[in-house]
Amino acid sequence: YMTSQNHRAMAKSATAQGRAAAIASSITAASRDASLLDHEKEFRASDDDALFEQNLNSSNNSEEDPNLSADVTAKSTKMNELTTPYHYVPLEMGGNGRTHKSTVASAALIQEIGGLPTLERMTTHFYNNAFLDSTLDNFIRSHGDPHAKRFSRWIHQKLTGSSVWDEERASRSGRPVTVANGHTIVVHDRSSAHVAAWHSPKRPDHEVGRHFKLDECRVWMRLHFCAMRVIVGDSSPSFTDYYIRFIGHFISVYEGTAPTFARESARWSADPANTQEYIDNGRTMNDVLGLSLGQALSQIPQDEADDTYWPYEM
């Protein structure tokens, strides 16, 4: 029979082993999370727009034109029932020509379509469909996160120079979320949100951490432009034209060849037969998924395939 001293010794040993295991587990988890944070920092460093967003937020010293800071959100202008006349609005670039800048003209486009409420209806429509998409939903960790609210405010701030996205980010809890393989990450900006998407627990193990590919970017753009057409409609051809180029600029950081296909994605979204075929196929875009770059380029006009400058000004 064991003595009470033996029992106490074994209990102490088990406790020590448990503590050691907990510490080892904590160290492993911390190492995993540090790796994910490094992934986030590396991605942000490759995106001039994300660096600009970070610096602008940390400095609290806006460089925007004061005329762009009018409270468009509060006005909630009713969308015109008639189509407004088309006028071309160029993308304004700063930061060595690689950072998008809002202008008085781009801010006017947001007022033209009805302000932030219209943008949030558009992003809500997009996410409602993305949640059902066989490709995109794997990147979305939780349907309960306020995706549409955050995306609409980011668009608004980018085009008007407002601070609605910065204000939304400041209101976040700062609590980490759990992604694949036990990693955790604090989703506090665009870069961290996309790292969380790449590490979504819904993704197959062999794809966790992989960035967006061209076919996935094309699916994203097609569905997003569908939402734009449903909500904005034909009310502002100037906004539609600008927004396609705006997305063409920002999609490039995720996949360098993707901007070439933005115009095709917009055309696809304009044909109801395409969306019906997509739904009939189980919300899977069989015509783009798995294609090589060469195969994808064969689907678009040659002048677009050869155009290396769009969406920018010559």
Side-chain angles (χ1 to χ4, degrees):
Y1 294 99
M2 288 189 176
T3 66
S4 60
Q5 287 182 329
N6 287 337
H7 278 297
R8 286 194 296 271
M10 289 180 66
K12 288 181 179 179
S13 176
T15 300
Q17 289 175 0
R19 287 175 179 168
I23 291 171
S25 176
S26 176
I27 292 172
T28 301
S31 177
R32 288 198 305 262
D33 295 343
S35 175
L36 203 62
L37 184 59
D38 288 341
H39 192 180
E40 176 189 335
K41 290 178 179 177
E42 180 182 357
F43 174 60
R44 185 181 293 107
S46 70
D47 182 354
D48 286 355
D49 285 289
L51 289 172
F52 178 77
E53 291 163 6
Q54 181 184 41
N55 293 336
L56 185 63
N57 185 63
S58 61
S59 67
N60 289 318
N61 182 21
S62 173
E63 299 176 6
E64 69 202 23
D65 186 325
N67 292 328
L68 305 180
S69 300
D71 188 6
V72 181
T73 307
K75 294 183 180 179
S76 183
T77 308
K78 183 179 180 181
M79 195 188 327
N80 294 332
E81 295 181 2
L82 300 177
T83 300
T84 54
Y86 172 78
H87 55 284
Y88 179 77
V89 178
L91 291 180
E92 184 75 18
M93 305 303 294
N96 296 320
R98 297 193 298 180
T99 305
H100 176 271
K101 294 175 60 178
S102 58
T103 65
V104 172
S106 66
L109 293 177
I110 296 299
Q111 295 194 51
E112 198 169 278
I113 65 168
L116 183 59
T118 300
L119 290 176
E120 189 159 352
R121 287 196 300 273
M122 181 178 78
T123 55
T124 298
H125 189 281
F126 165 68
Y127 274 108
N128 285 343
N129 283 282
F131 293 156
L132 300 173
D133 182 79
S134 61
T135 300
L136 300 186
D137 190 51
N138 285 338
F139 289 99
I140 302 173
R141 183 191 64 86
S142 171
H143 294 182
D145 291 336
H147 302 287
K149 177 181 178 180
R150 292 172 177 175
F151 190 12
S152 63
R153 280 153 179 75
W154 177 80
I155 298 167
H156 188 279
Q157 181 162 319
K158 281 298 180 183
L159 267 69
T160 70
S162 72
S163 60
V164 292
W165 184 58
D166 288 338
E167 292 164 10
E168 187 280 324
R169 287 200 297 147
S171 71
R172 299 183 194 183
S173 68
R175 289 192 297 270
V177 299
T178 302
V179 291
N181 301 321
H183 289 283
T184 62
I185 185 171
V186 176
V187 179
H188 61 94
D189 64 359
R190 187 162 53 90
S191 299
S192 54
H194 287 103
V195 172
W198 298 328
H199 291 265
S200 167
K202 295 180 183 178
R203 302 188 73 188
D205 289 344
H206 67 280
E207 292 189 352
V208 168
R210 176 182 60 74
H211 292 202
F212 305 120
K213 296 193 298 184
L214 173 60
D215 53 358
E216 294 158 343
C217 290
R218 293 180 71 185
V219 172
W220 187 96
M221 287 191 291
R222 285 178 169 190
L223 287 186
H224 190 52
F225 291 145
C226 278
M228 176 189 68
R229 293 189 186 281
V230 169
I231 302 303
V232 177
D234 297 325
S235 66
S236 175
S238 303
F239 172 83
T240 298
D241 173 62
Y242 184 93
Y243 195 69
I244 293 168
R245 287 179 283 119
F246 173 81
I247 293 298
H249 164 70
F250 277 99
I251 200 74
S252 64
V253 73
Y254 307 116
E255 167 50 49
T257 62
T260 302
F261 298 88
R263 287 167 285 185
E264 183 277 337
S265 296
R267 289 192 296 272
W268 184 95
S269 72
D271 188 346
N274 289 331
T275 53
Q276 187 58 54
E277 181 180 6
Y278 158 73
I279 292 171
D280 293 343
N281 287 332
R283 294 182 182 266
T284 301
M285 296 192 187
N286 294 322
D287 62 320
V288 302
L289 292 174
L291 297 185
S292 67
L293 176 58
Q295 290 170 324
L297 288 171
S298 71
Q299 295 179 323
I300 64 176
Q302 191 64 46
D303 62 332
E304 292 182 8
D306 294 338
D307 188 350
T308 60
Y309 206 78
W310 188 92
Y312 309 108
E313 303 303 304
M314 293 296 289

